[in-house]
Amino acid sequence: MRGLTVLPGGRPGGGRLYVNLPDGRAVAWYDRRTNRISVLADDRREEILAALRPYLSGTVSIGPPPVPTAADLRRLALPPDEDLAPNRPGEGLLGELEHGSAGTRARHRLRQDLAARRRTGELLDVLPESRDWRVLHSIDVPGTGGIDHLVLGPPGVFCVQSVPGRRQRVQVGDLLLTVGRAEPRPDPRRARLAARYAERVLTAPVTPVLVLVDASRVEVAPSVRDLRVTDAVEVLASLTNGPATLKPPDLEALHTLARDRRTWRSPGAAG
């Protein structure tokens, strides 16, 4: 057992734990979703089991890795520069703040937008991979302003856009929303455009969602029916309290497609 370390793969609390040698090479992984240990070095089986024992629960199967699916093969072939999975919430805004030439007022708005996206991202990242939830952040989508967060889970696919409420009343209409007495913002329209683009490239239904962060009160026009509006407190309940419509293999295939940056460059998807 000496020399073997157990480390999580992907987001904290995610679906896999990897057993590594001191040089970083993996000799096994434990998939919490399937309760299976896949062994790459059979001569170390007993050491691997001893290292993983504190993390195991229930009846665990053990054996060689399963034959990779088409989604597995595509993920393994994904160049690191094209993988969106490491993206942080608000990554594009962070670049604008660090290297852009925006004025003082514009930079203040950017910082507010960045804080809202980070707050929403923190909440979404607790969705458990072990229960087939996947979350991507900061997807650059031509002509839409981008997707703040893409959430994939058993109830479906959600295009989530974050809006800073600034502890003021927020009024949401069909095309615009207003925070306090500030100028109206096009977030409702932006959310729909981004969701429509995602539907075309993923060939799956996508629900647009607006998350209002730290709003004192939210008023939604009765005509707003195709856009889900929630606040940071209720966002997880809003996404998870629905019937399952996607099976795990379909979710994994959609996630593999969505995390590939090249997917979002598909010609003719916008419009």
Side-chain angles (χ1 to χ4, degrees), residues 204-261:
V206 178
T207 301
V209 180
L210 276 183
V211 179
L212 306 172
V213 180
D214 292 333
S216 63
R217 188 164 84 242
V218 178
E219 299 175 1
V220 182
S223 56
V224 179
R225 297 173 181 171
D226 61 337
L227 175 66
R228 192 173 298 186
V229 181
T230 184
D231 60 23
V233 175
E234 299 293 335
V235 61
L236 295 184
S238 175
L239 299 182
T240 58
N241 290 343
T245 61
L246 291 176
K247 297 178 180 179
D250 299 326
L251 276 169
E252 196 59 41
L254 282 171
H255 178 244
T256 300
L257 182 63
R259 68 187 288 180
D260 188 337
R261 192 185 308 274

Side-chain angles (χ1 to χ4, degrees), residues 88 91-101 107 110 118:
R88 299 165 294 173
E91 191 157 293
L93 295 181
L94 191 61
E96 289 185 51
L97 283 168
E98 291 178 350
H99 308 294
S101 57
R107 289 178 66 84
L110 286 173
R118 283 177 166 173

Side-chain angles (χ1 to χ4, degrees), residues 73-179:
L73 292 174
R74 179 166 178 167
R75 183 173 62 252
L76 291 169
L78 182 61
D81 289 346
E82 304 291 357
D83 190 357
L84 297 175
N87 280 12
R88 299 165 294 173
E91 191 157 293
L93 295 181
L94 191 61
E96 289 185 51
L97 283 168
E98 291 178 350
H99 308 294
S101 57
T104 303
R105 291 184 63 183
R107 289 178 66 84
H108 179 64
R109 288 194 296 269
L110 286 173
R111 282 193 290 269
Q112 289 180 329
D113 285 343
L114 176 59
R117 295 183 192 185
R118 283 177 166 173
R119 174 61 178 151
T120 303
E122 289 172 357
L123 293 168
L124 296 176
D125 278 343
V126 306
L127 289 167
E129 286 188 355
S130 58
R131 295 185 182 177
D132 297 312
W133 286 94
R134 303 289 185 272
V135 181
L136 297 169
H137 305 288
S138 304
I139 301 175
D140 186 18
V141 176
T144 71
I147 295 175
D148 295 350
H149 322 276
L150 189 76
V151 180
L152 306 95
V157 183
F158 303 91
C159 179
V160 181
Q161 309 294 81
S162 303
V163 180
R166 306 200 305 266
R167 295 184 172 82
Q168 299 183 56
R169 180 181 67 168
V170 179
Q171 296 173 292
V172 182
D174 283 309
L175 300 177
L176 302 171
L177 67 78
T178 305
V179 179

